[in-house]
């Protein structure tokens, strides 16, 4: 991303490195010196008052020159004539200097510099904020169709707040609309997708954020929506659409938000407050231990058969199942971890298998059918420190993605895992150390099995593609201005937010990404994915 001082946001880009640093151009420095020596400013091109006789004489000389009767000596009095005629000097109109790309970790911003996004790198880019920061969110499915590419776009999401006191927290069901395409220079000349685009040319409107709220006692550590199969529409408004929240009070609440989604979609619809204001189920099995790990099992076409996993800071994992009438939490927890359970993921291929990661640096694979509630496969030292997040590839079921507290991102082939890892430690099939702070979120692309996104405490959101390989014939292409190597698999770096906590792909808008941070939400789509 280009950088420029905050005090020069409205100024045009400087033509020299020195002037960009706040120094005066060379001509200005010389002029200042001359003024101080003379004590008075003199105009070197001061007009002289000419008499009528001088004007007549000069006109005569000009007329003689036009008639061809004058040689080079027919010059004005007092002017020296050079026999050598030099060609006119033409100024070259070269291209303007290209702004430097900001490479995180390679350059440190000074206090008067800010990052400015390169609008040409985005298809869409929007920022939104609510009353309190949200530590977690999830994207909701809607009935607007899959594989949407037209703008302006509309997106639904659910989030949980981190308010100043416990009673002020809320669950937010949000609708983001008027998500217009990014306006770029030369848009009128583009012949790409504009004919199929509903977005008017040169529209520069702000995105619209609408939301409905549910009171929530305690800060929301994590929120996850009931998964729906690709292409499956929202259930009718008479049927539930569940969302689970992990509260910092140690309780897990399950809400029915379907009426609130309908209220945002249909003008004039009034939701039943009794149905939405209180949870339909509260899980108390974790006691007073809070947690962050949580994941729903994919319900497929049977919305009455749901399974929810929750893990707490005391290393316990509980399974909650549902029937057509109620939820039920199994009393015996899964207990192979020795420290806080940080994340959970159901297998996309086997309905009884799930994975977990922990602050004990391990990644474990479980099967709910195994007696004793112990893991069947374990990788004891997956990262050098806490394993914060994992993501299971929905298109290639043997690939698992993990992010650690040391800033590392690793891709694992589960076919290399053994039942006993005491004498065998598998190596990741890919490993990246681009981030220099803890990884806070990772997620595979919903349809492309080689693409994933990650966010870190270094205020970066990165997009990656494992299918990109290093080209020996293009040495130096993947280097920044200081010669530092940039991984060829790194497609894009998005910045501009503070304390980024989560990132998710939009399942119905290909390539669209949404993030949450301490200063609000970002919705963007890049030219890279």
């Amino acid at each position: 991303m280009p950088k420029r001082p905050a005090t020069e946001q409205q100024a045009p880009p400087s033509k020299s490195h020195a002037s960009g640093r706040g120094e005066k151009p060379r001509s200005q420095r010389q002029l200042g010196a001359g003024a101080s020596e003379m004590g008075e400013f003199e105009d070197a091109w001061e007009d002289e008052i000419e008499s009528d006789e001088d004007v007549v004489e000069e006109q005569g000389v000009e007329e003689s020159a036009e008639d061809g009767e004058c040689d080079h000596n027919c010059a004005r009095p007092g002017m020296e004539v050079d026999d050598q005629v030099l060609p006119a000097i033409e100024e070259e109109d070269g291209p303007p200097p290209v702004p430097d790309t900001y490479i995180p970790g390679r350059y440190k911003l000074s206090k008067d510099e800010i990052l400015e996004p390169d609008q040409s790198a985005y298809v869409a880019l929007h920022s939104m904020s609510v009353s309190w920061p949200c530590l977690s969110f999830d994207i909701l499915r809607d009935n607007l169709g899959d594989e949407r590419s037209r703008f302006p776009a509309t997106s639904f999401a659910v989030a949980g707040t981190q308010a100043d006191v416990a009673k002020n927290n809320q669950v937010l069901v949000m609708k983001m609309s008027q998500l217009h395409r990014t306006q770029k220079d030369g848009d009128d000349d583009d012949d790409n997708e504009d004919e199929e685009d509903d977005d008017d040319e040169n529209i520069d409107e702000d995105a619209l954020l609408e939301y409905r709220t549910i009171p929530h006692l305690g800060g929301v550590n994590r929120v996850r929506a009931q998964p729906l199969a690709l292409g499956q529409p929202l259930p009718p408004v008479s049927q539930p659409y569940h969302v689970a929240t992990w509260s910092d009070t140690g309780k897990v609440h399950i809400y029915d938000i379907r009426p609130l989604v309908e209220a945002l979609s249909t003008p004039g619809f009034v939701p039943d407050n009794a149905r939405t204001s209180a949870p339909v189920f509260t899980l108390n099995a974790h006691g007073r231990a809070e947690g962050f790990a949580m994941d729903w099992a994919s319900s497929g076409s049977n919305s009455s058969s749901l399974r929810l996993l929750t893990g707490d800071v005391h290393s316990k994992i509980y399974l909650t199942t549902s029937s057509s009438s109620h939820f039920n939490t199994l009393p015996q927890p899964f207990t192979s971890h020795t420290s806080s359970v940080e994340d959970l993921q159901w297998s996309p291929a086997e309905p009884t298998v799930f994975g977990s990661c922990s602050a004990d640096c391990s990644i474990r694979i479980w099967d709910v059918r195994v007696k004793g509630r112990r893991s069947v496969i374990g990788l004891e030292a997956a990262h050098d420190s806490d394993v914060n997040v994992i993501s299971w590839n929905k298109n290639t079921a043997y690939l698992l993605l993990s992010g650690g507290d040391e800033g590392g991102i690793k891709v694992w082939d589960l076919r290399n895992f053994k039942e006993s890892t005491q004498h065998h430690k598998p190596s990741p099939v890919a490993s990246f150390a681009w981030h220099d702070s803890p990884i806070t979120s990772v997620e595979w692309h919903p349809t492309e099995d080689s693409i994933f996104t990650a966010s870190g405490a270094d205020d970066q959101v990165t997009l990656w593609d494992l299918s990109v390989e290093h080209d020996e014939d293009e040495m130096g292409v993947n280097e920044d201005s200081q010669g530092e190597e940039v991984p060829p698999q790194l497609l894009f770096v998005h910045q501009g937010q503070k304390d980024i906590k989560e990132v998710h792909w939009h399942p119905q808008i290909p390539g669209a990404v949404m993030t949450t941070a301490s200063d609000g939400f970002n919705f963007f789509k890049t030219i890279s994915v």
Side-chain angles (χ1 to χ4, degrees):
M1 300 177 70
K3 55 181 184 294
R4 65 176 182 181
T7 56
E8 296 181 359
Q9 292 187 36
Q10 303 301 326
S14 41
K15 295 184 179 179
S16 68
H17 181 71
S19 60
R21 290 288 184 179
E23 300 177 7
K24 294 181 179 180
R26 182 182 301 275
S27 59
Q28 294 180 2
R29 292 199 298 270
Q30 292 174 344
L31 181 61
S36 62
E37 293 172 1
M38 293 183 293
E40 183 179 357
F41 178 77
E42 293 185 5
D43 187 358
W45 308 102
E46 184 178 6
D47 295 334
E48 296 180 357
I49 300 176
E50 301 173 331
S51 65
D52 294 340
E53 296 178 358
D54 295 336
V55 174
V56 172
E57 290 178 1
E58 291 177 6
Q59 288 179 349
V61 173
E62 293 174 357
E63 291 174 357
S64 300
E66 292 176 358
D67 295 339
E69 300 175 357
C70 183
D71 56 14
H72 65 274
N73 291 323
C74 292
R76 295 183 181 180
M79 294 184 62
E80 297 181 359
V81 178
D82 192 348
D83 293 337
Q84 184 178 3
V85 179
L86 298 177
I89 300 176
E90 298 181 359
E91 294 185 0
E92 296 183 0
D93 296 332
V98 179
D100 288 338
T101 300
Y102 177 79
I103 304 296
R106 313 291 196 262
Y107 180 87
K108 185 177 181 181
L109 293 175
S110 60
K111 64 178 181 180
D112 62 341
E113 287 183 315
I114 61 173
L115 292 176
E116 181 182 81
D118 182 359
Q119 299 293 334
S120 66
Y122 290 90
V123 176
L125 174 60
H126 296 278
S127 299
M128 294 152 283
S129 61
V130 292
S131 54
W132 298 105
C134 297
L135 188 68
S136 179
F137 79 101
D138 204 3
I139 294 178
L140 302 175
R141 285 195 60 87
D142 55 53
N143 289 330
L144 301 178
D146 294 333
E147 300 294 322
R148 305 199 298 264
S149 60
R150 294 186 176 185
F151 287 87
T154 299
S155 178
F156 292 81
V158 60
T161 64
Q162 292 283 322
D164 53 350
V165 293
K167 65 178 183 179
N168 291 338
N169 283 289
Q170 298 173 323
V171 175
L172 308 176
V173 180
M174 304 180 292
K175 176 186 178 183
M176 292 154 284
S177 57
Q178 296 184 10
L179 300 171
H180 289 277
R181 181 184 295 274
T182 299
Q183 299 300 314
K184 307 180 182 69
D185 293 339
D187 272 353
D188 294 339
D189 299 331
D190 289 341
D191 296 328
N192 42 25
E193 304 172 350
D194 290 349
E195 294 183 357
E196 301 179 359
D197 208 323
D198 292 339
D199 206 352
D200 295 332
E201 292 184 1
N202 300 322
I203 288 183
D204 190 16
E205 295 184 9
D206 292 332
L208 179 63
L209 176 62
E210 305 169 83
Y211 56 87
R212 299 291 186 269
T213 63
I214 302 172
H216 188 278
L217 183 61
V220 179
N221 291 345
R222 189 152 294 178
V223 58
R224 290 291 180 265
Q226 164 190 339
L228 297 174
L230 191 64
Q232 181 182 356
L234 275 177
V237 69
S238 59
Q239 296 182 12
Y241 184 26
H242 291 114
V243 162
T245 64
W246 233 129
S247 174
D248 59 13
T249 62
K251 298 182 183 297
V252 176
H253 303 292
I254 299 176
Y255 298 89
D256 177 11
I257 64 166
R258 184 62 182 89
L260 300 181
V261 175
E262 189 68 19
L264 292 169
S265 305
T266 307
F269 180 85
V270 179
D272 183 1
N273 189 51
R275 179 178 168 186
T276 60
S277 60
V280 297
F281 180 77
T282 296
L283 194 163
N284 297 303
H286 294 281
R288 302 179 66 89
E290 66 175 317
F292 297 87
M294 181 164 59
D295 193 39
W296 289 96
S298 179
S299 59
S301 59
N302 186 6
S303 60
S304 64
S305 177
L306 297 173
R307 283 178 287 182
L308 177 68
L309 289 167
T310 53
D312 61 37
V313 296
H314 290 170
S315 73
K316 293 182 174 60
I317 301 171
Y318 283 91
L319 172 62
T320 300
T321 61
S322 74
S323 64
S324 58
S325 58
H326 66 281
F327 287 89
N328 178 58
T329 302
L330 303 184
Q332 185 179 3
F334 299 88
T335 57
S336 288
H337 283 297
T338 59
S339 187
S340 173
V341 180
E342 299 294 290
D343 204 4
L344 291 161
Q345 285 274 285
W346 283 100
S347 167
E350 301 177 77
T352 62
V353 176
F354 69 91
S356 65
C357 65
S358 170
D360 61 13
C361 305
S362 71
I363 295 175
R364 298 188 178 276
I365 306 299
W366 314 68
D367 191 323
V368 298
R369 299 168 297 180
V370 174
K371 296 181 179 180
R373 297 291 194 262
R374 307 292 293 182
S375 63
V376 294
I377 302 175
L379 180 59
E380 296 296 336
H383 285 256
D384 295 335
S385 58
D386 302 5
V387 186
N388 295 332
V389 285
I390 56 174
S391 179
W392 210 316
N393 196 311
K394 293 179 172 58
N395 302 287
T396 305
Y398 57 80
L399 292 180
L400 187 73
L401 182 65
S402 65
D405 219 40
E406 80 287 356
I409 301 172
K410 298 182 180 182
V411 181
W412 304 92
D413 187 337
L414 296 179
R415 296 173 299 182
N416 297 331
F417 280 37
K418 304 291 184 180
E419 292 189 4
S420 174
T421 60
Q422 184 177 0
H423 303 292
H424 173 79
K425 180 182 177 182
S427 299
V429 295
S431 182
F432 304 102
W434 176 261
H435 291 267
D436 58 11
S437 295
I439 302 299
T440 57
S441 183
V442 293
E443 187 170 279
W444 289 103
H445 191 282
T447 57
E448 300 290 339
D449 61 358
S450 65
I451 297 176
F452 67 89
T453 182
S455 64
D458 53 3
D459 301 334
Q460 295 185 61
V461 176
T462 51
L463 307 183
W464 303 79
D465 188 351
L466 297 178
S467 66
V468 178
E469 298 180 357
H470 187 73
D471 192 343
E472 297 291 342
D473 296 333
E474 297 183 3
M475 295 295 292
V477 173
N478 295 318
E479 292 183 356
D480 63 17
S481 58
Q482 299 181 13
E484 301 276 356
E485 184 176 355
V486 178
Q489 295 83 8
L490 179 58
L491 301 180
F492 199 90
V493 178
H494 172 75
Q495 292 186 279
Q497 290 181 283
K498 298 295 183 183
D499 198 20
I500 302 170
K501 293 300 183 183
E502 276 189 5
V503 56
H504 295 298
W505 298 96
H506 197 294
Q508 296 173 273
I509 306 178
V513 177
M514 186 172 172
T515 62
T516 185
S518 61
D519 52 0
F521 300 95
N522 273 191
F523 178 95
F524 65 91
K525 176 178 169 61
T526 76
I527 62 174
S528 301
V529 179

